[in-house]
Amino acid sequence: RNHERTLVMSRRAAELTKYAANAMLATRISFMNELANLADRLGADVEMVRQGIGSDPRIGYHFLYPGVGYGGSCFPKDVKALQHTATELGQPLALLAAVEVVNDAQKRMLVDKIVARLSGDLAGRRIALWGLAFKPNTDDMREAPARVIVEALAERGATVVAYDPVAMDEARRVFGAAPHLAYAASPLAACDGADALVVVTEWQEFRSPDFDEIRRRLRTPLVFDGRNVFTPADVRAAGLEYFGIGRGRS
């Protein structure tokens, strides 16, 4: 009725529309992640940048949130499928290839920050990890950044103690009997004796924690916020050292 809900087009156009929509959203995410990494080096806060560019109606605010990369069943699959089709037709999509490269690297960004802060030595370290699912309100771990982060920390000798509201059973299936991974009964329990807290999924229950209690439970007062769910000043006021994605230097 408003010429917005239903569009009639050819089957080929409809298929391309579906893939193109997800590829565009994935591109926005990778663009913001690259911008966030630059903001870190410049000492700028990418949250301010996000609000600035999002206020332009030509851009808008949707999918401008930097983090540890996209995952799930749709974005990775559709970006790959569109590239595959284009390559078969002799029309490779260089931009989407770059989107994938950026996303793969971004999944390791938090680990790089942890390694740098702890002087490269993670052997024997205990890392509290909040969030296993690729996004909130699901137990889906397909292509989840948490999978890369857990394995990368384990490769460096760290033990991960994870908590997720709904995805821990799925994580047990995905990781199996991994000696480097344990599961906590609550977010705060994961912090007990940990050398750092790492936030990977932006679950609502993670957004307003008791930072003083987190500080008491952590062995080392470090917070690595992979989804920028916290206000840096609030974290630092509790005596914690804060590292976000594109929030400037701690």
Side-chain angles (χ1 to χ4, degrees):
R1 188 172 296 170
N2 295 322
H3 305 287
E4 294 175 343
R5 302 288 179 181
T6 304
L7 298 175
V8 178
M9 62 185 75
S10 70
R11 184 175 67 186
R12 280 290 173 88
E15 290 173 346
L16 182 56
T17 298
K18 190 267 187 184
Y19 286 117
N22 279 343
M24 171 62 79
L25 297 177
T27 299
R28 285 170 69 99
I29 292 170
S30 282
F31 173 77
M32 285 305 298
N33 283 332
E34 287 230 291
L35 210 60
N37 297 336
L38 178 60
D40 266 338
R41 292 183 174 271
L42 290 171
D45 186 345
V46 77
E47 176 62 18
M48 299 297 100
V49 178
R50 183 189 69 79
Q51 292 179 21
I53 65 176
S55 67
D56 186 330
R58 297 170 299 176
I59 298 173
Y61 292 104
H62 295 297
F63 288 83
L64 288 186
Y65 295 93
V68 288
Y70 61 77
S73 61
C74 292
F75 287 5
K77 172 179 62 66
D78 288 1
V79 169
K80 286 181 171 65
L82 197 51
Q83 287 185 89
H84 177 74
T85 297
T87 300
E88 282 194 328
L89 295 172
Q91 186 74 40
L93 303 176
L95 180 59
L96 285 191
V99 167
E100 273 200 304
V101 169
V102 170
N103 192 61
D104 289 343
Q106 196 68 19
K107 290 182 179 182
R108 294 169 172 79
M109 182 58 63
L110 273 188
V111 177
D112 293 342
K113 288 175 180 281
I114 295 167
V115 169
R117 176 58 184 81
L118 295 176
S119 302
D121 184 13
L122 299 188
R125 299 282 192 174
R126 179 184 175 100
I127 306 297
L129 187 140
W130 287 5
L132 291 161
F134 86 93
K135 69 176 183 177
N137 306 314
T138 181
D139 68 348
D140 195 341
M141 288 189 63
R142 286 174 288 184
E143 304 277 350
R147 298 176 68 154
V148 175
I149 292 168
V150 168
E151 293 296 344
L153 290 170
E155 288 172 2
R156 290 164 174 80
T159 297
V160 176
V161 182
Y163 173 81
D164 188 286
V166 303
M168 290 199 288
D169 286 343
E170 177 64 8
R172 291 184 178 95
R173 185 191 69 80
V174 168
F175 291 111
H180 56 270
L181 178 61
Y183 301 94
S186 70
L188 286 175
C191 296
D192 288 337
D195 293 287
L197 167 61
V198 179
V199 180
V200 179
T201 311
E202 64 274 35
W203 285 94
Q204 186 63 37
E205 71 176 88
F206 297 161
R207 291 186 176 274
S208 300
D210 184 337
F211 291 117
D212 291 325
E213 184 62 22
I214 291 173
R215 172 67 184 86
R216 284 190 287 270
R217 290 179 181 243
L218 289 174
R219 180 165 55 188
T220 311
L222 300 175
V223 173
F224 295 86
D225 184 358
R227 296 295 183 181
N228 291 349
V229 296
F230 304 143
T231 301
D234 293 343
V235 181
R236 292 172 182 142
L240 293 156
E241 198 172 342
Y242 177 85
F243 297 85
I245 304 295
R247 305 308 299 270
R249 299 187 183 278
S250 176

